[in-house]
Amino acid sequence: MKEINHINRRQFIKTGSAVGGGLLLSFYLPAFGKAIKTAVNNAPASFIPNAFIRIGADDIITIICNHSEMGQGAYTSVPMMVAEELDADWSKIRFESAPVDPVYNHLGFGMQATGGSSSTLSEYDRLRNAGATARAMLIAAAAQTWKVDPSACKTENGKVINKVSGKSLLYSELVEKASLINAPKLVQLKDPKDFNIIGKPIKRLDTPEKINGTGIFGLDVKVAGLLTALIARPPVFGGKVKSFNADKAKAIPGVKHVVEIERGIAVVADGFWPAKLGREALEIVWDEGALKDLDSITQRKQYAALAKEPGVSARKEGDVAASMAGAVKKIDATYELPYLAHAPMEPLNCVADVKVDSCEIWVGTQFQTMEFMNAVQITGLKPEQVKVHTTLLGGGFGRRGVLDCHFVREAVQVSKAINAPVKVIWTREDDIQGGYYRPAAHHVINAGIDASGMPLFWQQQIVCQSFAVGTVMEAMMVKDGVDSTAVEGAADMAYNVPNLKVNWNMAPGGVPTLWWRSVGHSGNAFVTETFIDALAHAAGKDPYQYRLALLEKHLRHKRVLVMAAEKSNWGKPLPAGRARGIAIHESFGSYVAHVAEVSIPKPGTIKVHKVVSVIDCGPVVNPETIRAQIEGCVVFGLTAALYGEISFEKGRVKQRNFYDYKILRMNEMPQVEVHIVPSTEKMGGVGEPGVPPVAPAVANALFLLTGRRIRKLPFAKEDLVKKV
Amino acid sequence: MINIKVNGKAYQLAVDPSTPILWVLRDTLGLMGTKFGCGVAQCGACTVHLDGEGIRSCISPVSRAAGKEITTIEGLDVKLGKPLEQAWIQEDVPQCGYCQSGQIMAAAILLRDNPNPTDQDIDDGMSGNLCRCGTYQRIRKAIHVAAKLRT
Ligand code: FES
Ligand code: FES
């Protein structure tokens, strides 16, 4: 089956400018169309067929990556998609991060952004088209040279080959000629069976720079005259500076400026250390604001009370009230899920250099367009005077894509105030206590099974904050009064339950919350997947078979589940003291099942020996990236299950650093075995879908050892005691 | 004035002696390969070698290095570094990569002292180095690979 794609140039330009709103000037105009030949900075002459490709006369092919590299492998998978259709020599491929320009907008989000596990799936068509277009132009150039019909030419490994004469020309030799050729409107994409690059475990292009100390993360950016700033932010969310005295701070050698900005007081010094000492020496009186008494214990009670209110309907099937009487067994459960911090390994930071007539920003961001627009707004400069450079991101997980762009705004404000380039650095404490957490949640479920043991009714009340309501994302994320991220994975549960009701009550705001790797699914899957397990046990059925029966019509779920059972030897004996738990969940268009093998070495401790993971994400671009992402998801999910909790007392976050906001360590790492379902179904994401089923798979295994259902995260010591 | 040697080069520095080595490396000497992750000896991102011993540079005042030699990722001896780099590439270890220079600096010490470590030895030697991306399984494997490459 061959795809014929029609590239509609108008469409591209239109999509491009819709969100930029005419604000942005195209740097590489246009996305597709007539090629541009350039000699930038004495670089060799190049053929630039479109915004994503630059072929140099030196034979180097540079792919301009419009998705940030934050560990998910975008700097490899993006080039792979282009190189495949370009028939490039992979060893000649280099990558470069894209500037801010509407041509690089995410086709789904309408702005330049990385997230939603979508870097590969959102670009699969556009980037292959970009490669195929360039290839067609190179063929046309060669055909002209040889005075033959393009159909007499083929391409292979960075060369155009004359099928008749056997002669060949390197792409680099065609740079001049190809630049004069108009891009074709129609290009033919390869039949997947002819792929040489896509689907192969290609090694990451960026590994060398990430292991030899040369890779540039935001924190590593150097600019002449760069100063370092640390910011004293309110100890309570929503607080404000009432008054401050900077005398002692200014007395610290190396401290250059103390300035008040939107969110606090910045201490600017000639390095991190004096800035830190200066910040400690600040004397600030805070107006702590409305959340000054915030306390997690009280908040939990509040949420429990809210769960009794009807809320807004997110899903309704059948008639729960009428069906209740027919249940032979009923189960009620209450779940409590904490706030979670993303804690990317590289603390947040941003370099800004604001001058009278320009502003340059270097930042590891998931949200280029938004950062750009905020910088334009703060500086009052013209859009073409503002530049955003995307560095490597030392982890993102959602934290580097913030609607209010606070960590970029701070840097721009400080640089503007002191009239010098500045790097704002967050300490780990600033990060852990800095908010933008996965929202805490409270769920109440009542369900009943019928005489055959199958679920008859399921009624679920979800309480949590919304980070969409009242923001620019509201139109996209909130439907009929329901924030889709609050109920995703619960309201759209795949299990067949004839009478089903899922309602949402929005909890009061104040604590800044945000998408956290797998967003609403992260908590909701824990609830649905441990609760369905409980129903299976109540029905006296095997939890794997029970799920399978309830997913009758969901073929992709079923395939993943069956493979997980098979690969994990489900039902086969285990060494004494071990138990297996299973969970499956769909998110971001992909289907993941985990089977966890768990034991309790000592009361109050847990050992996760092995996790067998199966994913169906549709067509595979790089299987090694998928495996790595699933391994990472297992660690991320386990970390949250075992340790993750942000809590409040007297308005303040109690956790501070990795000693009380723990991250899984090497000695706790289970063996993770990843299997990818061969699939030609719709492509899904891989960065997040592995997270949601981790905690429930482990909790379901623990239940077999302890006889106790875990309904509060993280696991407590009492949850880890073997039954007698 | 503090006299230190970094990656074979001698420096005479006029810095506050209580400044952690990490910030002297990054802010004074511009060596950005050593990373800041926690500042409290919890994550290992800042691991460097001080006279051949692995230390947490974020909590070690530069005064501790006076008259001594610091080695950072930029200056890691090829005999120690090359096999690790090769193994890391072969096993596609890094995700975001931020923790990896610390991991390699820790692994270099581990392999120098124990050329043929077991999984248990690796866990013991590497558990001070956090990786939020969760690359532990690949690090374990890569250390075994590097051990073979060295022989
Ligand atoms: S930064 Fe030194 S151990 Fe984390
Ligand atoms: S690779 Fe990202 S923290 Fe280790």
Side-chain angles (χ1 to χ4, degrees):
Chain A
M1 180 199 71
K2 289 217 170 147
E3 288 175 69
I4 302 280
N5 265 273
H6 179 230
I7 300 168
N8 181 338
R9 180 179 158 198
R10 270 233 188 89
Q11 191 50 42
F12 268 104
I13 294 172
K14 224 170 85 198
T15 336
S17 54
V19 168
L23 187 67
L24 309 174
L25 283 185
S26 265
F27 173 45
Y28 281 128
L29 261 176
F32 289 91
K34 197 161 169 54
I36 304 167
K37 189 176 70 170
T38 54
V40 197
N41 298 338
N42 308 322
S46 313
F47 165 48
I48 305 181
N50 52 55
F52 300 96
I53 303 171
R54 190 171 70 231
I55 302 176
D58 58 356
D59 221 20
I60 293 299
I61 300 181
T62 307
I63 308 301
I64 320 299
C65 294
N66 58 335
H67 290 263
S68 307
E69 171 61 50
M70 49 190 190
Q72 87 285 35
Y75 282 0
T76 307
S77 55
V78 163
M80 281 174 76
M81 293 186 278
V82 181
E84 177 66 66
E85 295 289 345
L86 181 57
D87 264 343
D89 172 355
W90 182 254
S91 69
K92 301 284 159 48
I93 296 285
R94 306 288 182 271
F95 59 85
E96 205 173 277
S97 77
V100 177
D101 189 298
V103 300
Y104 299 114
N105 281 355
H106 189 293
L107 293 172
F109 305 157
M111 61 176 190
Q112 207 167 325
T114 305
S117 291
S118 65
S119 295
T120 303
L121 71 95
S122 67
E123 297 295 353
Y124 195 54
D125 288 334
R126 170 162 67 173
L127 292 182
R128 281 185 305 147
N129 268 306
T133 308
R135 176 178 163 272
M137 292 157 88
L138 289 159
I139 286 182
Q144 264 183 19
T145 310
W146 293 321
K147 304 198 170 56
V148 298
D149 189 78
S151 65
C153 303
K154 61 174 187 174
T155 53
E156 211 179 85
N157 218 23
K159 285 191 288 264
V160 184
I161 298 166
N162 183 330
K163 287 194 270 189
V164 183
S165 70
K167 280 189 197 154
S168 70
L169 283 166
L170 289 169
Y171 288 173
S172 53
E173 296 171 303
L174 293 163
V175 161
E176 296 274 341
K177 258 209 180 102
S179 298
L180 302 170
I181 283 169
N182 278 324
K185 289 222 174 75
L186 280 172
V187 286
Q188 197 153 39
L189 296 183
K190 285 186 184 174
D191 184 321
K193 76 170 170 28
D194 299 325
F195 284 167
N196 301 310
I197 295 170
I198 291 179
K200 305 283 179 314
I202 301 275
K203 300 274 176 238
R204 292 194 182 210
L205 287 174
D206 53 5
T207 297
E209 67 177 77
K210 285 176 173 174
I211 57 175
N212 63 18
T214 59
I216 305 288
F217 296 86
L219 269 183
D220 307 330
V221 167
K222 291 181 191 170
V223 175
L226 186 64
L227 296 171
T228 301
L230 264 68
I231 295 170
R233 302 178 185 83
V236 175
F237 293 119
K240 288 201 162 51
V241 177
K242 215 187 241 168
S243 65
F244 72 101
N245 182 338
D247 294 348
K248 287 186 186 143
K250 282 184 179 155
I252 307 271
V255 171
K256 306 272 188 215
H257 311 266
V258 175
V259 289
E260 182 168 2
I261 56 164
E262 197 174 49
R263 291 215 168 178
I265 311 290
V267 177
V268 188
D270 56 14
F272 174 91
W273 197 244
K276 180 174 180 281
L277 297 179
R279 184 171 73 169
E280 281 162 11
L282 277 177
E283 293 166 318
I284 308 175
V285 183
W286 299 99
D287 169 359
E288 296 192 356
L291 295 187
K292 69 175 176 9
D293 297 318
L294 183 65
D295 180 288
S296 290
I297 298 166
T298 318
Q299 190 188 52
R300 254 180 241 137
K301 289 184 193 143
Q302 239 178 34
Y303 279 30
L306 256 177
K308 298 201 172 78
E309 308 287 330
V312 201
S313 170
R315 170 118 184 238
K316 194 170 177 297
E317 306 285 342
D319 188 338
V320 167
S323 66
M324 278 185 173
V328 297
K329 230 185 226 175
K330 288 182 190 167
I331 307 186
D332 301 335
T334 298
Y335 284 85
E336 289 180 317
L337 308 166
Y339 289 110
L340 293 171
H342 306 70
M345 207 63 218
E346 178 196 18
L348 293 179
N349 61 84
C350 177
V351 171
D353 186 5
V354 181
K355 299 200 173 88
V356 223
D357 55 357
S358 71
C359 168
E360 264 190 284
I361 292 168
W362 291 262
V363 64
T365 176
Q366 298 176 239
F367 255 23
Q368 285 81 350
T369 306
M370 301 275 282
E371 319 294 20
F372 174 85
M373 285 161 78
N374 272 269
V376 170
Q377 183 249 325
I378 295 169
T379 56
L381 291 168
K382 297 195 193 93
E384 59 271 28
Q385 293 173 311
V386 176
K387 263 201 189 126
V388 176
H389 308 272
T390 305
T391 63
L392 290 173
L393 283 65
F397 316 120
R399 183 66 180 91
R400 291 187 149 95
V402 201
L403 296 167
D404 61 24
C405 299
H406 59 274
F407 61 92
V408 170
R409 291 182 67 89
E410 286 176 345
V412 175
Q413 287 167 349
V414 176
S415 175
K416 192 182 172 194
I418 64 169
N419 203 11
V422 72
K423 182 186 285 174
V424 172
I425 300 181
W426 292 51
T427 62
R428 178 58 57 194
E429 289 79 7
D430 293 341
D431 169 62
I432 299 291
Q433 306 195 315
Y436 301 86
Y437 304 127
R438 193 280 302 270
H442 184 103
H443 294 233
V444 177
I445 305 191
N446 347 95
I449 53 177
D450 63 18
S452 68
M454 298 326 253
L456 178 64
F457 73 90
W458 173 308
Q459 135 168 278
Q460 181 172 3
Q461 205 72 25
I462 303 176
V463 181
C464 66
Q465 281 176 244
S466 167
F467 52 82
V469 170
T471 72
V472 292
M473 300 303 281
E474 182 161 343
M476 212 186 205
M477 287 163 58
V478 182
K479 302 232 159 62
D480 301 322
V482 181
D483 177 345
S484 56
T485 64
V487 299
E488 61 188 3
D492 51 353
M493 178 174 75
Y495 296 120
N496 176 29
V497 181
N499 304 288
L500 175 64
K501 208 171 119 183
V502 180
N503 280 21
W504 174 58
N505 304 73
M506 186 166 82
V511 176
T513 57
L514 190 63
W515 28 61
W516 178 96
R517 197 175 192 176
S518 79
V519 200
H521 295 280
S522 65
N524 293 342
F526 179 72
V527 174
T528 55
E529 279 302 291
T530 53
F531 197 73
I532 203 78
D533 215 74
L535 292 184
H537 283 275
K541 305 211 170 178
D542 174 83
Y544 157 62
Q545 296 291 350
Y546 194 72
R547 284 176 172 83
L548 211 51
L550 287 170
L551 293 168
E552 198 39 55
K553 296 201 183 76
H554 297 266
L555 297 179
R556 293 182 80 177
H557 282 86
K558 265 172 57 184
R559 236 178 356 171
V560 163
L561 206 54
V562 169
M563 194 170 185
E566 192 187 291
K567 299 288 183 192
S568 67
N569 296 319
W570 185 261
K572 304 265 163 59
L574 276 168
R578 288 198 195 180
R580 279 189 201 100
I582 192 165
I584 178 168
H585 194 73
E586 182 220 335
S587 59
F588 307 92
S590 290
Y591 303 74
V592 178
H594 294 306
V595 175
E597 225 174 276
V598 171
S599 70
I600 296 179
K602 272 193 300 206
T605 67
I606 177 176
K607 171 94 189 152
V608 182
H609 300 270
K610 186 173 177 182
V611 177
V612 173
S613 307
V614 177
I615 178 167
D616 171 6
C617 55
V620 166
V621 170
N622 188 334
E624 213 42 45
T625 305
I626 296 172
R627 280 187 204 107
Q629 281 306 293
I630 298 297
E631 291 161 17
C633 285
V634 168
V635 174
F636 211 79
L638 259 184
T639 295
L642 265 48
Y643 305 119
E645 178 171 31
I646 290 289
S647 54
F648 292 87
E649 199 175 55
K650 295 203 174 79
R652 284 146 170 86
V653 176
K654 284 165 73 177
Q655 293 70 25
R656 294 176 55 79
N657 202 315
F658 289 135
Y659 46 76
D660 52 8
Y661 191 79
K662 289 195 183 152
I663 306 295
L664 208 76
R665 291 182 181 274
M666 174 83 94
N667 59 343
E668 300 166 298
M669 178 73 199
Q671 181 198 342
V672 180
E673 192 184 291
V674 182
H675 302 275
I676 303 169
V677 176
S679 168
T680 50
E681 308 273 354
K682 191 158 183 260
M683 190 184 277
V686 295
E688 298 168 271
V691 173
V694 176
V698 174
N700 291 339
L702 281 172
F703 168 75
L704 298 175
L705 300 173
T706 66
R708 220 180 129 92
R709 281 288 168 194
I710 299 176
R711 300 220 158 105
K712 187 169 180 289
L713 289 176
F715 301 163
K717 288 243 178 306
E718 316 81 85
D719 296 326
L720 306 173
V721 179
K722 275 188 244 183
K723 65 181 168 199
V724 278
Chain B
M1 284 293 170
I2 294 177
N3 290 303
I4 57 169
K5 228 177 178 188
V6 179
N7 300 333
K9 246 171 117 175
Y11 296 91
Q12 210 174 47
L13 302 172
V15 290
D16 169 358
S18 74
T19 311
I21 291 172
L22 172 64
W23 299 108
V24 173
L25 292 172
R26 293 182 56 89
D27 288 343
T28 315
L29 303 180
L31 293 168
M32 298 309 212
T34 308
K35 306 299 184 194
F36 166 56
C38 68
V40 293
Q42 286 285 313
C43 76
C46 65
T47 306
V48 299
H49 303 164
L50 181 62
D51 278 354
E53 172 208 358
I55 61 154
R56 300 283 181 259
S57 66
C58 67
I59 53 149
S60 312
V62 66
S63 56
R64 189 178 152 190
K68 296 192 176 153
E69 163 124 41
I70 296 168
T71 306
T72 71
I73 187 79
E74 291 92 343
L76 184 60
D77 179 72
V78 265
K79 275 216 270 336
L80 288 172
K82 257 281 153 271
L84 286 166
E85 278 188 24
Q86 248 175 285
W88 250 243
I89 290 170
Q90 182 186 320
E91 296 306 320
D92 256 333
V93 173
Q95 288 189 27
C96 81
Y98 193 76
C99 71
Q100 299 295 343
S101 32
Q103 304 280 5
I104 292 209
M105 293 306 280
I109 296 280
L110 174 76
L111 279 187
R112 185 199 60 194
D113 297 349
N114 181 355
N116 209 351
T118 61
D119 274 349
Q120 186 61 50
D121 297 335
I122 295 175
D123 284 4
D124 292 346
M126 299 297 294
S127 285
N129 287 70
L130 291 176
C131 174
R132 182 60 163 151
C133 298
T135 63
Y136 299 127
Q137 178 161 296
R138 286 168 191 259
I139 293 175
R140 230 184 242 153
K141 178 106 185 281
I143 290 177
H144 287 305
V145 170
K148 288 220 183 69
L149 288 172
R150 276 160 53 94
T151 54

